[in-house]
Amino acid sequence: MGLHLTQIDRVETISKKDFINKYFKPQKPVVIERFIEDWPAYKKWSLSYMKEVAGDKIVPLYDDRPVNYKDGFNEPHAKMKMSEYVDLLKKEPTKFRIFLWNILKEVPILQRDFSYPDFGLRLMKGLPMLFFGGRDSYTFMHYDIDLANIFHFHFEGKKKCILFDQNQNKHLYKIPYSLITREDIDFNEPDLKKWPALQYAKGYVTELEHGNVLYMPEGYWHYMRYITPGFSMSLRAIARKPKNLSKAIYNVFIMRSLDTVMRRMRGQKWIDWKNEQAITKTNCKLNE
């Protein structure tokens, strides 16, 4: 028995009105399969093209090592030239991923290849981010600090996405003062004997292919696994629900600062305590 996951709705394309009424207002995810076929990026963007236009850029790389108290917020684990990284992706599986790479800042020419779609939400135009990964690399289950509405555009290859909304927090072994779950949970094939609360979590799953767009509502947890090497771009719109907006402000200005101070004061003991609390708190709610 695995996780309780429902396939995410899929549509070929969608009007702004239908998107707002069927998916944004009820805060429900959806995959739009053929929305960007008029973008130059749809035909041009590939790993080879990225190597061509950004090969000399030094890119930040992340892997799946556990959080260490010495790590800064979103501090990369390694750096490499983009050309070398693309060669590595094509040569063999690697756990190195590019995470939150701002293409507007680094490679302005790529701005010509896409436009900001009108979904009825005001997209933040300074924050288009790229994410790259090799076969079987993955992100830990997490949600974004600003609880934004996210439009995730995938290019080249296939990618598996598992989502949960914030109502499932009590089942996910969430780390306190953090945006992640226990890092030793394999959400691709979870051990439900070791993590029994997961059997009560209800989420969503889908696979993205080149040109697909995934809408992730405000504050949705997401686990991304690259089935084949590929990359995605995220555009985001600020959280609209007052509860989520206030939570985003708390995360950015209070939670992150508190966590940083405690790491400096207590070091690895703080990280270990948080990991223990994730189990203790989840088990307490499970027993209730």
Side-chain angles (χ1 to χ4, degrees), residues 73-130:
F73 185 76
N74 283 344
E75 186 177 326
H77 299 136
K79 293 182 179 181
M80 187 181 295
K81 276 191 173 183
M82 186 63 171
S83 57
E84 296 169 349
Y85 179 61
V86 170
D87 288 344
L88 178 62
L89 291 181
K90 292 187 173 186
K91 179 183 176 185
E92 61 193 28
T94 175
K95 292 184 177 180
F96 279 132
R97 294 174 291 104
I98 296 179
F99 177 71
L100 291 175
W101 187 43
N102 191 327
I103 61 169
L104 277 180
K105 180 180 176 183
E106 297 290 338
V107 192
I109 193 173
L110 292 174
Q111 297 174 53
R112 303 174 188 170
D113 295 339
F114 69 91
S115 55
Y116 292 89
D118 184 6
F119 288 110
L121 303 178
R122 182 177 292 178
L123 297 172
M124 292 184 265
K125 295 190 175 181
L127 288 173
M129 295 292 183
L130 280 186

Side-chain angles (χ1 to χ4, degrees), residues 119-218:
F119 288 110
L121 303 178
R122 182 177 292 178
L123 297 172
M124 292 184 265
K125 295 190 175 181
L127 288 173
M129 295 292 183
L130 280 186
F131 305 80
F132 290 70
R135 178 162 62 89
D136 289 332
S137 65
Y138 61 89
T139 62
F140 295 121
M141 182 67 75
H142 69 286
Y143 68 94
D144 287 18
I145 194 167
D146 58 355
L147 284 83
N149 294 277
I150 300 170
F151 298 91
H152 198 65
F153 303 79
H154 189 63
F155 299 93
E156 189 157 328
K158 288 187 177 183
K159 187 178 191 179
K160 180 179 181 179
C161 309
I162 297 176
L163 310 182
F164 294 99
D165 63 37
Q166 288 283 313
N167 293 328
Q168 305 303 309
N169 286 14
K170 61 187 177 183
H171 305 309
L172 297 179
Y173 299 91
K174 180 186 182 298
I175 304 290
Y177 305 103
S178 188
L179 308 168
I180 60 173
T181 63
R182 287 275 308 207
E183 295 159 298
D184 45 352
I185 298 174
D186 178 3
F187 276 91
N188 194 46
E189 295 180 349
D191 182 346
L192 298 184
K193 290 184 178 178
K194 186 176 181 180
W195 312 108
L198 290 180
Q199 64 189 299
Y200 301 105
K202 294 182 179 179
Y204 299 90
V205 66
T206 197
E207 287 187 6
L208 299 181
E209 297 184 343
H210 181 85
N212 289 175
V213 186
L214 169 63
Y215 167 62
M216 292 184 280
E218 296 175 13

